[in-house]
Amino acid sequence: MRLSQMLFVTLRESPAEAVIPSHQLLLRAGYIRRIGSGVYSYLPLMWRVLRKVSQIVREEMDATGAQECLLPQLQPAELWQESGRWDTYTKAEGIMFAFQDRQGRDVAMGPTHEEVITAIAKDMIRSYRQLPQHLYQIQSKFRDEIRPRFGLMRGREFIMKDGYSFHADAEDLKATYGAMDQAYRNMFRRCGVEFVAVEADSGAIGGSGSQEFMVIADIGEDEILYTADGHYAANVEKAIAIPTPAIPSPFTAYEKRSTPNTPTIATLAEYAQCSPSAILKNVLYQVTYDTGLLVLLLVSIRGDQDVNDVKLYNAAARLAPELGASTVLAVEVPDAEAQGKWAAKPLPLGYIAPDLGDDYIAHMPSVHPHLIRWVDETAVELKHFVTGANEPGHHVFGANWGEQFTLPTVVDVRKAMAGDQALHDPNQTLLSARGIEVGHIFQLGTKYSAALGATFTNEAGEELPLVMGCYGVGVSRLAQAAVEQCHDGDGIIWPVAIAPYTVIIVIPNMNDGEAIAAAEKLYQDLTAAGIETLLDDRNERAGVKFKDADLIGIPYRIVTGRSLKAGKVEVVQRATKTSEEIPIDAVVEVIQGWYEAAVS
Ligand code: ATP
Ligand code: MG
C-alpha cells in the first residue's frame, strides 16, 4: 500500500477523550475514530490488526476441532425469557440494547449467545453419538456498558470470539476446557502479549470452574493476586488466602463508652488507640431480588478487612430460593435516599452493632421483616472486640461472641489482599498486579440447557440436559491491550504477528529519483515475497515521515537514503530502535528471517 493513497491522518496532540496511552495512540496514529459513546470505527490500519488477531484466534480454535459459524446479532426476547435472563439483562443490569420491532415484539442486540446456541443445540442434538460439539464465532457484540471507556477496552460495540461446547458429562467438558486453556495460551503468546491465567469467579451460575486470561498493565480494571513462586494467581474477586493475624485487643473489661466523631474504623482506632483488627465492623447492605423483595443484610467483619462484593453477591444469590426468588438484581450499601424507603427510624450509621434490631425496618410487603446477620470467618475468633453500640457517638469495648452478642451465621465474604499469606504455602505472601481481561473460559454446566430444555439421550437411554462450556476472547480489547503493553514515547510498537504491515519503506527525499527508484524496487520485491509493506511516498519532509512511522508502529522501517551510494539501505527495528545498513539485495531475505523468528 502507498501511504500517499491511503486515508491516513495522524494527530500531533492526543484528543481529550483519551486518557490512557493505548487509546491516545490508536486515535493519534489514525487506527480508530470515535463515532459515539463506546462506538468506534476501525479504520483500514486497525482492521488489518483485527483481522490478524482474529486469524490467530481462528487457527488456534480450529486446531482443537471447534467449528466456526455465525449466529444472529438480532435476538428475539422469548429466548432470553426462557433462560430467565431477559429481566436481568434489560432491567437490572440494563446491559442489553433492547427495543420493539414494528409488530411490537421485543428484540435485542446480542451481548452474548448462550441462548441462541442452546436453542440450536436443543433443535439439532438428540443423542450422545453427536457429542461433543463445539461451535464458535467471531463477531461484533453489543453491550450498553454503564461506563464505556478507554476506547476499544470497554466499548458498547466490540468484537468478540465466543464459543460454546456441548457434552454428555462433566468429565468430557473438562477435557475440552483443558484444550481451551492451552489454545488460549497459544493465542495470546502468538499475539505477542505478556499474560497470566488466573482463577476467576464463576458467579451465581456456580459451575466447576472458570479461568480468566489477563494482559498485565497498570491501567487494567482487574486486580490480580498472585504468589512469586508462580503457583497461585487469582482475580481478587475470587482469591482466597490467610489474613494477617489480628493484634489482640487491650480491652478485657466490657463497657460502653462515649466515642464522639468516630464513624469510621480509622477514626475509631485512632480514638481508642487500638489496632483496626481489634474492631468488629458491621456493614449494612440492601439486597434486591428478582421478585422485588428487599432484604437487609448486616455483615460483621474484622475491622482491618473488607467485604468482597462478588463473594457477597454470590452468597446473597444462594439465599434466593429460601426467599422465594431466583436471582439477585442488586446488592448495595443503601444511601440516605434508599434508607428513607424502608427505615422505620434513623439508623445509628457508623455506630451499628451486630445485634441491630428488626425494629429499624418498617413493615412493608416488599421488605423482608428480619435483618439477615452474617459474620465473616475473620471475625469469629475475635476476643474483647470494640464495636458499635447502636447509638451515635458510642461504642462498646471488650465485647465477646456468646456473651454480649450471639454469633451470626458464619460466611466467607472477605476480600483477599496483597500481604495475605498464601494457602498453598504460608511463607508466600500475595502480591498484587493489575490486568486487562482478554479472555474467559467457563465450565457452565446445565444452567442454560436445563432452562431451555436442551437435552440428549445417553447410552443408557436416559434423557439428560446437555453439559455446556463457554469460552470468550475480547478480540478488539486484545488488540488495544497489545498497544497498552507495547509502546514508547514515540508511538506504538506492534508485536510483529499482529502489526498492520511488517515493513514501512520511507523515501526521505521525494526529489531524489534514485531514492524513489530503489524504494519502488524494494516495495515490489518485498510485496512479491509476501511481506506486507507500506511505501511512504508522500510529499512530506523526512522528519515527518520518520515520526509517523514510529507513531504507527510498523516493526521494520527501511530508509532509501545516503547509504544507497554504497548499495545499501538503512533498516531500523521499531522495538529496539537499532539501525543497520543492509545491502539492497539482501533486504528481503533478512526481513523474512526476522519475521519468521518473531512470529514462530
Ligand atoms: P468485563 O468484566 O471486562 O466486563 P465480562 O466478564 O463481561 O468482561 P465476557 O462476557 O466473559 O466479559 O466476555 C468475553 C470477553 O469479551 C472478555 O473477556 C473481554 O475480553 C471482552 N469484553 C467484554 N466486555 C467488553 C467490552 N465492553 N468491550 C470490549 N471487550 C469486552
Ligand atoms: Mg462485562
Side-chain angles (χ1 to χ4, degrees):
M1 182 78 205
R2 290 166 190 276
L3 217 44
S4 62
Q5 287 163 23
M6 200 164 105
L7 179 60
F8 180 70
V9 178
T10 56
L11 309 174
R12 203 170 287 203
E13 305 290 333
S14 297
E17 67 178 278
V19 290
I20 62 168
S22 55
H23 187 194
Q24 292 171 337
L25 288 170
L26 288 177
L27 283 168
R28 279 185 55 208
Y31 281 80
I32 57 174
R33 278 287 182 278
R34 181 180 181 274
I35 297 302
S37 168
V39 178
Y40 287 84
S41 293
Y42 312 124
L43 299 174
L45 285 174
M46 191 72 216
W47 187 237
R48 293 180 74 96
V49 173
L50 291 169
R51 275 184 11 220
K52 289 192 176 181
V53 173
S54 301
Q55 187 54 24
I56 290 173
V57 169
R58 181 175 287 121
E59 284 168 17
E60 294 299 333
M61 291 302 292
D62 290 349
T64 70
Q67 308 151 68
E68 185 168 358
C69 64
L70 190 59
L71 305 171
Q73 290 167 314
L74 195 62
Q75 306 186 4
E78 291 82 53
L79 278 178
W80 290 78
Q81 282 152 355
E82 267 185 75
S83 73
R85 289 209 289 188
W86 180 257
D87 283 347
T88 21
Y89 269 60
T90 56
K91 294 195 193 108
E93 291 175 25
I95 198 130
M96 190 152 67
F97 287 102
F99 51 94
Q100 291 194 330
D101 66 13
R102 63 175 77 214
Q103 265 95 27
R105 292 175 300 219
D106 286 323
V107 281
M109 297 303 289
T112 179
H113 281 69
E114 282 83 4
E115 280 77 0
V116 170
I117 198 84
T118 309
I120 292 167
K122 176 184 179 174
D123 191 25
M124 299 180 70
I125 301 175
R126 294 269 119 92
S127 154
Y128 70 94
R129 286 191 206 88
Q130 293 168 280
L131 295 174
Q133 290 291 341
H134 185 172
L135 267 66
Y136 77 93
Q137 58 172 349
I138 299 172
Q139 110 192 135
S140 291
K141 295 282 189 262
F142 299 86
R143 293 187 183 180
D144 196 0
E145 299 277 359
I146 297 175
R147 276 205 301 161
R149 58 177 191 155
F150 295 168
L152 309 187
M153 291 285 188
R154 186 167 295 285
R156 297 201 302 163
E157 176 177 338
F158 59 97
I159 302 173
M160 193 201 287
K161 184 285 294 181
D162 51 326
Y164 309 87
S165 66
F166 297 92
H167 310 266
D169 55 42
E171 208 51 35
D172 195 55
L173 163 61
K174 279 212 171 72
T176 296
Y177 182 79
M180 281 300 113
D181 176 27
Q182 189 55 53
Y184 274 45
R185 288 172 196 269
N186 297 346
M187 283 171 202
F188 300 131
R189 181 187 54 74
R190 287 181 59 191
C191 286
V193 293
E194 202 189 308
F195 69 95
V196 37
V198 304
E199 285 179 23
D201 171 59
S202 307
I205 297 170
S208 20
S210 101
Q211 190 169 276
E212 287 165 343
F213 293 83
M214 299 281 185
V215 167
I216 306 298
D218 292 340
I219 58 87
E221 291 187 335
D222 286 278
E223 186 184 355
I224 302 164
L225 294 175
Y226 66 99
T227 54
D229 66 1
H231 289 314
Y232 185 74
N235 189 315
V236 68
E237 291 176 351
K238 165 84 177 176
I240 43 173
I242 307 165
T244 48
I247 295 168
S249 164
F251 311 108
T252 45
Y254 178 75
E255 62 176 327
K256 178 173 152 185
R257 290 196 206 164
S258 158
T259 52
N261 305 318
T262 57
T264 63
I265 297 296
T267 49
L268 177 60
E270 172 72 30
Y271 183 91
Q273 288 296 298
C274 69
S275 158
S277 65
I279 298 171
L280 179 74
K281 172 161 80 176
N282 306 294
V283 196
L284 187 65
Y285 292 92
Q286 66 172 49
V287 184
T288 313
Y289 287 91
D290 56 341
T291 49
L293 181 71
L294 195 110
V295 174
L296 296 157
L297 184 62
L298 187 63
V299 178
S300 300
I301 187 166
R302 212 171 82 186
D304 61 329
Q305 303 295 322
D306 285 316
V307 171
N308 177 328
D309 294 338
V310 174
K311 284 190 188 175
L312 184 69
Y313 178 94
N314 292 343
R318 283 195 290 273
L319 220 57
E322 255 174 69
L323 297 162
S326 52
T327 49
V328 170
L329 298 187
V331 180
E332 303 147 292
V333 173
D335 57 15
E337 192 191 334
Q339 288 162 29
K341 297 203 174 125
W342 53 260
K345 52 184 178 176
L347 288 151
L349 294 176
Y351 303 90
I352 292 179
D355 63 353
L356 185 77
D358 289 347
D359 55 342
Y360 282 94
I361 307 174
H363 290 284
M364 298 161 73
S366 61
V367 182
H368 191 64
H370 305 293
L371 265 172
I372 292 187
R373 284 167 232 282
W374 284 346
V375 58
D376 179 71
E377 285 167 358
T378 49
V380 176
E381 297 303 324
L382 286 184
K383 302 268 183 294
H384 312 304
F385 52 80
V386 180
T387 197
N390 288 335
E391 185 185 333
H394 291 79
H395 282 89
V396 295
F397 287 63
N400 285 302
W401 297 117
E403 291 173 16
Q404 294 79 20
F405 301 107
T406 317
L407 189 71
T409 309
V410 181
V411 292
D412 168 24
V413 291
R414 182 183 85 95
K415 188 170 169 181
M417 52 179 158
D420 286 350
Q421 294 170 293
L423 283 172
H424 74 275
D425 175 1
N427 291 321
Q428 299 274 328
T429 51
L430 294 192
L431 304 169
S432 168
R434 299 207 73 84
I436 302 163
E437 180 196 326
V438 291
H440 195 169
I441 59 175
F442 208 97
Q443 299 183 42
L444 271 178
T446 56
K447 177 183 158 94
Y448 297 97
S449 51
L452 291 157
T455 59
F456 73 106
T457 310
N458 72 5
E459 265 188 279
E462 298 159 313
E463 192 176 332
L464 296 171
L466 289 156
V467 177
M468 293 175 60
C470 71
Y471 320 93
V473 173
V475 170
S476 44
R477 182 185 284 183
L478 172 57
Q480 187 175 325
V483 178
E484 192 59 38
Q485 218 172 46
C486 307
H487 66 267
D488 63 15
D490 296 326
I492 300 170
I493 304 173
W494 284 111
V496 177
I498 62 171
Y501 291 90
T502 306
V503 173
I504 180 166
I505 304 172
V506 175
I507 306 170
N509 178 358
M510 290 301 288
N511 297 319
D512 178 348
E514 207 187 323
I516 295 173
E520 291 282 351
K521 169 90 173 40
L522 272 172
Y523 177 54
Q524 271 160 29
D525 291 351
L526 285 161
T527 306
I531 297 169
E532 293 165 82
T533 304
L534 258 183
L535 177 63
D536 191 351
D537 57 347
R538 295 175 300 165
N539 263 320
E540 290 284 357
R541 284 179 295 114
V544 170
K545 293 184 174 187
F546 294 152
K547 267 208 161 61
D548 279 347
D550 280 349
L551 180 63
I552 64 176
I554 307 302
Y556 311 119
R557 179 176 88 204
I558 298 174
V559 187
T560 54
R562 282 184 213 103
S563 44
L564 276 181
K565 302 239 164 351
K568 292 179 178 178
V569 286
E570 186 194 22
V571 184
V572 184
Q573 303 203 32
R574 175 64 184 88
T576 54
K577 296 262 171 94
T578 47
S579 153
E580 51 199 294
E581 296 194 340
I582 296 178
I584 295 182
D585 298 341
V587 168
V588 172
E589 204 181 320
V590 167
I591 294 211
Q592 226 152 14
W594 288 349
Y595 177 82
E596 298 298 334
V599 305
S600 66

